[in-house]
Amino acid sequence: MRGRSGTVGGGAGMGRRGGTAEGGEGVGGRVVTLGETMGLLAATTVGHLRHVPHMALGIGGAESNVSVALARLGTDVTWIGRVGADSLGDRVVRELTAEGIDVRAVRDTGAATGLMLKERLPGGAVKVWYYRSGSAGSRLEPDDIDPELVAGARLLHVTGITPALSGRAAAAVSYAVDTARAHGVTVSVDLNYRSALWPPEQAAPVLRELVARADLVFAGDDEAALVVGEGTPEELALKLGELGPSTVVIKLGAQGALASVDGVVHRRPAVPVEVVDSVGAGDAFVGAYLSELVAGAEPKRRLDTAALAGALLCTVPGDWEGMPDRAVLEGWRGVGEVVR
């Protein structure tokens, strides 16, 4: 990969290339994902930012959140992105590398690392403000992506966020997807529609095309409706499946999730927990689902693990810090448990 001031890259080995994720071949292997990770300033107390005296510094981004979930569950994962040649970029690379992720970060001397602010409003709602226009992450481009890395992966995961950032970022996603498809690599897409980035009429055709080129699609019911029109969760899953993917997972928040796998519908209720911070729960769900998929698990286990991971993430402040590992998932017995 080429960047204005080089690339920070890990040397982790790649997983072998297998068949499709729904097949019985090629169990195990590496997941590759790409997108923008930003600096994150989170209010440490409840209240409007105009009154909050202190904020805590961290990082956050949908694709890197998924990468953390995968790494903690024992799946080899590579994250590709651009960050500024600045201290926030240093923070992104340091944190993700410390999580055991193979980081392929282009250091861009011509743009800063993006920033988001998280506000904890009275009443429990969380508001996120983005400062990412012209950021290094929005300048991701096809040349930043190593085609051999993608071709050698078991699965490529992308989201609908990256194409919304810029034309060159959209081209990078398209190039990665084309490369994966050309080499029989499973393509996973999380629609992840962000109204702050683009209007529905602009997003819908782009997301529809991504769905058509994917093997596996994740969507909230509102995101699915943006692409295929209104319907029940089951109808939305089947309509999305008609566009091409063999597996469609509809995330329903407190109502759980539904997956259509080769036309067979599987349902999973939500895991009841005391919610502290729900930001990142969808990424935990996706990462856990993909980890089980790559490991060769059946749909029921994928949904069970994903539902529990998403729920447990909600019990800890932060976008990714509470991502559970296998020991936490296997040892969880319910709300209020005392571990001695």
Side-chain angles (χ1 to χ4, degrees), residues 144-167:
D144 296 338
I145 297 168
D146 181 351
E148 293 185 3
L149 178 66
V150 175
R154 169 65 191 281
L155 183 145
L156 171 73
H157 177 70
V158 298
T159 79
I161 296 174
T162 310
L165 299 178
S166 68

Side-chain angles (χ1 to χ4, degrees), residues 5 8 70 89 103 106 166 181 197 236 311 320:
S5 57
V8 177
L70 285 161
V103 175
V106 176
S166 68
R181 288 172 59 85
L197 293 176
L236 292 170
W320 56 269

Side-chain angles (χ1 to χ4, degrees), residues 71-96:
R72 289 193 181 177
L73 294 175
T75 302
D76 291 336
V77 57
T78 295
W79 173 81
I80 302 169
R82 271 191 181 238
V83 295
D86 50 27
S87 292
L88 283 180
D90 294 341
R91 180 71 173 248
V92 169
V93 171
R94 178 182 181 276
E95 293 281 18
L96 297 183

Side-chain angles (χ1 to χ4, degrees), residues 229-271:
E230 298 294 332
T232 65
E234 181 172 328
E235 290 170 342
L236 292 170
L238 295 177
K239 287 180 181 179
L240 286 173
E242 289 172 356
L243 296 178
S246 60
T247 296
V248 176
V249 181
I250 304 296
K251 297 177 286 184
L252 299 169
Q255 282 69 54
L258 175 150
S260 174
V261 182
D262 292 325
V264 179
V265 175
H266 306 262
R267 294 176 177 81
R268 180 60 169 88
V271 176

Side-chain angles (χ1 to χ4, degrees), residues 1-2 34 80 140-147 150 171-173 175-176:
M1 295 184 287
R2 299 189 298 275
L34 60 140
I80 302 169
L140 187 73
E141 58 185 40
D143 279 353
D144 296 338
I145 297 168
D146 181 351
V150 175
V173 170
Y175 175 71

